């Protein structure tokens, strides 16, 4: 370990990178950087966190302790690289401006927080006008990932990535020798992709929750039996971090009551906002992300504890029988989970394609699948398949149409229908399973009732329509003789 005092750091610019914001994420990333042989300047608004890090983990590598922002900036080799890991929103803006005033042309400011991508677009523009490189980097993997290897999604000028990339790639997770970090694209693209990643994470968790609920309520399995089912699923094509930890959480017994921990946790799911951002952005872009949307709404519904308590006695009106063949129903639920997961990812990748088009980012979906294979919360075997699909056809219209996924979904579609039908018959909510199936049915339908919607819009608002049999735009004179005119 080498630690410099504040006095030294003002005279020796020797750190390859600085980290400001040393709460759980920042301190673990600083340690990860130091463990990989980089000299890291440390800064936090208040010095308590800096000192705590050095006291507990100073042996992790070469750190430069600083107190003021001036000392911090002076401790960095040029071009300077600073990673900001503070609370997203106003605190991030405050730190960026403080830093920008002290930095010089060509220096690099990296925002590794969970910033909204439109903020990143704005910040990148402001910083480029000051000749500074601004990189908005989505970082996934939570506190453990930050220390042991996260998935990193940096967006910003290519020139900044050229000098920063090797450093970030050195601390990211690696799968098959490849880093889970790549230059995503210009300005806000890194944070946009991270946002969609989080949205998919919401959908994944909701689908897992629905599968658990069905196994418990429809089939009557015990929590421990369901843990075993997830453990088993984790050795097949559902293999993923979230399925793995589902088995862990379900196996946990509460020390106080002896009950499964899941039975003593209040069933109100929190959210920090990235799922909501994903859905808002999808609405603006006109992309149906029904799986993610249902997951966000399901969390909102779960949190309405008073309203739920008041509605508890509402009639269920069940019309179905509980399944009797355990093995076959478990297999149906697995198929429904897999198919719905394909839909959630297909929709997420559609949103990435739409964002890329809207903002001119030229994003490569296969690259996202590659860097999500390790380090991040949605890491899964499945992502290798997605990468292969985009390798084979970079212009894939929908992930659902890639031969592997098409076969998998077509093979499981009857199971999927049985699961949704059983759930509806028994009154067990499966919003993500059901909406994913409806999306699938909508996508594959030759004709949709949207023709009637167009007719209605034309009737009350003269919004016009197009015909299937000839070119042009038409309007029916509904309040006159109902003849058709060209609009
Ligand atoms: P927090 O999001 O809890 O932020 C705490 C840090 O922000 C502290 O260092 C604090 O300094 C600093 N800070 C605040 Br609050 N206001 C400030 C201001 N006005 N000026 C300067 N510093 C200020 O920390 P975190 O959970 O480590 O997350 C850091 C970033 O990483 C966030 O953007 C978060 O969304 C993102 N992220 C978190 C996770 C995760 O799993 N937690 C995962 C991925 C990304 P102080 O010590 O002086 O109060």
């Amino acid at each position: 370990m080498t630690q410099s005092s504040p006095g030294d750091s003002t005279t020796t610019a020797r750190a390859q990178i600085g980290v400001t914001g040393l709460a759980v994420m920042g301190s673990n990333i600083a340690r990860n950087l130091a463990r990989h042989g980089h000299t890291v300047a440390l800064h936090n608004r208040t010095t308590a966190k800096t000192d705590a890090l050095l006291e507990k983990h100073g042996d992790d590598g070469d750190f430069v302790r600083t107190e003021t922002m001036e000392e911090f900036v002076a401790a960095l080799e040029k071009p300077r690289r600073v990673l900001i890991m503070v609370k997203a929103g106003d605190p991030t803006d405050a730190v960026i401006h403080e830093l920008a005033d002290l930095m010089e042309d060509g220096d690099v400011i990296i925002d590794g927080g969970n910033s909204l991508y439109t903020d990143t677009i704005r910040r990148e523009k402001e910083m480029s006008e000051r000749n500074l490189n601004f990189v908005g980097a989505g970082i996934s993997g939570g506190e453990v990932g930050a220390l042991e290897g996260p998935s990193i999604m940096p967006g910003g000028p290519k020139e900044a990535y050229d000098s920063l990339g090797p450093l970030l790639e050195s601390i990211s997770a690696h799968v098959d020798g490849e880093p889970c970090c790549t230059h995503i694209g210009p300005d806000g693209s890194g944070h946009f992709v991270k946002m969609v990643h989080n949205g998919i994470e919401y959908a994944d968790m909701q689908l897992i929750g629905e599968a658990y609920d069905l196994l418990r309520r429809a089939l009557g399995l015990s929590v421990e039996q369901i843990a075993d089912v997830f453990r088993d699923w984790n050795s097949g094509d559902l293999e993923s971090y979230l399925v793995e930890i589902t088995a862990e959480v379900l196996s946990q017994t509460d020390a106080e009551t002896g009950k499964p921990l899941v039975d003593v946790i209040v069933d109100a799911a929190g959210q920090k906002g990235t799922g909501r951002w994903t859905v808002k952005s999808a609405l603006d872009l006109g992309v149906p992300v029904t799986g993610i949307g249902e997951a966000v709404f399901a969390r909102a519904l779960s949190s309405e504890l008073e309203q739920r308590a008041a509605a508890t006695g509402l009639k269920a009106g069940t019309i179905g029988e509980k399944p009797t063949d355990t093995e076959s129903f478990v297999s149906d639920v697995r198929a429904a989970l897999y198919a719905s997961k394909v839909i959630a990812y297909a929709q997420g990748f559609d949103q990435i394609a739409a964002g890329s088009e809207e903002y001119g980012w030229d994003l490569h979906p296969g690259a996202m699948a590659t860097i999500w294979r390790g380090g991040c919360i949605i890491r899964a075997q499945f992502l290798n398949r997605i990468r292969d699909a985009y390798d084979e056809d970079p212009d894939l219209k929908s992930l659902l149409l890639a031969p592997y996924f098409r076969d998998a979904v077509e093979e499981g579609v009857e199971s999927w229908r049985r699961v949704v039908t059983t759930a509806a018959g028994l009154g067990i909510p499966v919003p993500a399973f059901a909406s994913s199936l409806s999306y699938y049915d909508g996508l594959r339908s030759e004709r949709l009732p949207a023709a009637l919607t167009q007719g209605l819009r034309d009737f009350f608002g003269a919004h016009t329509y197009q015909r299937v049999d000839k070119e042009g735009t038409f309007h029916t004179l509904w309040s006159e003789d109902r003849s058709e005119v060209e609009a």
Side-chain angles (χ1 to χ4, degrees):
M1 170 188 66
T2 315
Q3 285 176 34
S4 305
S5 70
D8 298 333
S9 62
T10 54
T11 51
T12 321
R14 63 183 190 81
Q16 279 104 49
I17 188 162
V19 180
T20 180
L22 300 173
V24 58
M25 289 295 289
S27 60
N28 278 359
I29 287 193
R31 292 175 60 201
N32 187 350
L33 284 160
R35 285 176 175 187
H36 281 86
H38 308 292
T39 299
V40 186
L42 299 175
H43 176 267
N44 196 68
R45 177 175 57 172
T46 46
T47 51
K49 285 193 175 71
T50 314
D51 290 333
L53 192 167
L54 287 170
E55 194 182 318
K56 278 200 210 146
H57 307 291
D59 287 341
D60 274 349
D62 190 14
F63 295 109
V64 181
R65 177 188 183 279
T66 72
E67 288 185 3
T68 65
M69 203 55 111
E70 287 77 8
E71 283 172 2
F72 178 59
V73 170
L76 300 165
E77 282 177 2
K78 292 182 188 175
R80 302 180 182 93
R81 290 174 288 215
V82 170
L83 175 60
I84 302 175
M85 292 303 299
V86 306
K87 207 175 175 62
D90 292 343
T92 299
D93 272 315
V95 174
I96 290 170
H97 287 120
E98 204 180 342
L99 273 169
D101 289 343
L102 298 167
M103 292 178 104
E104 291 170 10
D105 289 6
D107 287 350
V108 186
I109 298 178
I110 310 131
D111 170 20
N114 265 341
S115 292
L116 182 60
Y117 71 97
T118 45
D119 284 344
T120 306
I121 293 174
R122 167 180 59 78
R123 289 167 182 154
E124 199 277 331
K125 188 165 181 290
E126 276 172 31
M127 291 303 117
S128 74
E129 282 163 6
R130 298 176 69 163
N131 295 325
L132 295 173
N133 285 309
F134 187 79
V135 173
I139 300 181
S140 175
E143 58 181 293
V144 175
L147 183 63
E148 293 176 358
S151 175
I152 311 180
M153 295 150 252
K158 180 78 175 67
E159 143 196 9
Y161 192 80
D162 288 342
S163 82
L164 186 68
L167 202 143
L168 295 182
E169 288 175 15
S170 74
I171 64 158
S172 75
H174 284 71
V175 174
D176 301 335
E178 285 181 79
C180 294
C181 171
T182 192
H183 181 233
I184 301 291
D187 54 66
S189 59
H191 277 134
F192 181 87
V193 163
K194 169 64 166 43
M195 174 191 78
V196 176
H197 161 285
N198 282 27
I200 292 174
E201 179 185 313
Y202 271 59
D204 250 346
M205 289 168 72
Q206 175 64 23
L207 293 169
I208 286 172
E210 290 178 17
Y212 152 77
D213 208 24
L214 280 165
L215 297 179
R216 193 154 187 198
R217 290 212 267 165
L219 208 49
L221 296 188
S222 70
V223 175
E224 191 48 47
Q225 284 172 315
I226 300 171
D228 287 340
V229 169
F230 276 93
R231 222 165 265 130
D232 179 46
W233 286 351
N234 196 42
S235 60
D237 52 11
L238 279 170
E239 182 189 336
S240 60
Y241 173 67
L242 283 170
V243 168
E244 180 192 332
I245 65 168
T246 299
E248 295 289 317
V249 172
L250 292 178
S251 296
Q252 185 72 16
T253 302
D254 174 47
E256 229 172 279
T257 59
K259 292 181 181 171
L261 179 68
V262 74
D263 283 349
V264 298
I265 296 177
V266 174
D267 57 345
Q271 42 186 326
K272 280 191 167 172
T274 44
R276 234 183 343 247
W277 287 350
T278 313
V279 176
K280 281 184 183 171
S281 148
L283 289 173
D284 288 341
L285 293 166
V287 182
V289 290
T290 57
I292 301 170
E294 290 297 349
V296 172
F297 288 134
R299 288 198 194 187
L301 185 150
S302 75
S303 299
E304 292 293 341
L305 292 174
E306 278 185 28
Q307 200 181 30
R308 284 175 54 201
T312 298
L314 287 175
K315 182 179 168 182
T318 51
I319 52 163
E321 300 295 324
K322 290 191 173 181
T324 48
D325 184 337
T326 302
E327 206 178 309
S328 111
F329 191 69
V330 168
S331 161
D332 279 350
V333 174
R334 194 208 61 78
L337 177 55
Y338 192 75
S340 305
K341 188 176 159 98
V342 173
I343 299 293
Y345 279 71
Q347 295 177 339
F349 277 91
D350 282 352
Q351 185 169 359
I352 288 175
S356 178
E357 177 78 24
E358 172 77 13
Y359 296 102
W361 284 329
D362 192 25
L363 303 182
H364 300 282
M368 313 310 143
T370 303
I371 63 167
W372 290 348
R373 292 180 309 157
C376 66
I377 305 296
I378 62 170
R379 61 184 180 264
Q381 194 54 32
F382 183 79
L383 285 153
N384 282 309
R385 304 282 188 188
I386 299 183
R387 179 166 97 143
D388 294 346
Y390 281 108
D391 276 353
E392 267 166 45
D393 180 1
D395 299 320
L396 206 54
K397 291 273 171 293
S398 163
L399 197 55
L400 204 48
L401 300 176
Y404 174 82
F405 290 110
R406 183 186 181 130
D407 288 351
V409 170
E410 285 181 342
E411 205 176 296
V413 68
E414 286 171 19
S415 296
W416 199 5
R417 287 196 198 290
R418 269 194 298 274
V419 166
V420 171
T421 309
T422 303
L426 294 173
I428 299 170
V430 285
F433 278 172
S435 74
S436 304
L437 182 57
S438 281
Y439 173 85
Y440 174 75
D441 285 332
L443 204 59
R444 59 167 201 83
S445 291
E446 223 169 289
R447 290 281 291 164
L448 289 171
L452 176 58
T453 307
Q454 286 297 84
L456 294 171
R457 293 179 69 239
D458 190 58
F459 187 100
F460 66 71
H463 291 303
T464 73
Y465 52 86
Q466 279 156 341
R467 297 180 55 102
V468 295
D469 52 0
K470 56 182 171 186
E471 291 290 311
T473 304
F474 301 91
H475 168 56
T476 291
L477 300 170
W478 296 102
S479 52
E480 297 174 32
D481 62 355
R482 302 206 167 185
S483 60
E484 186 180 72
V485 293
E486 200 149 353

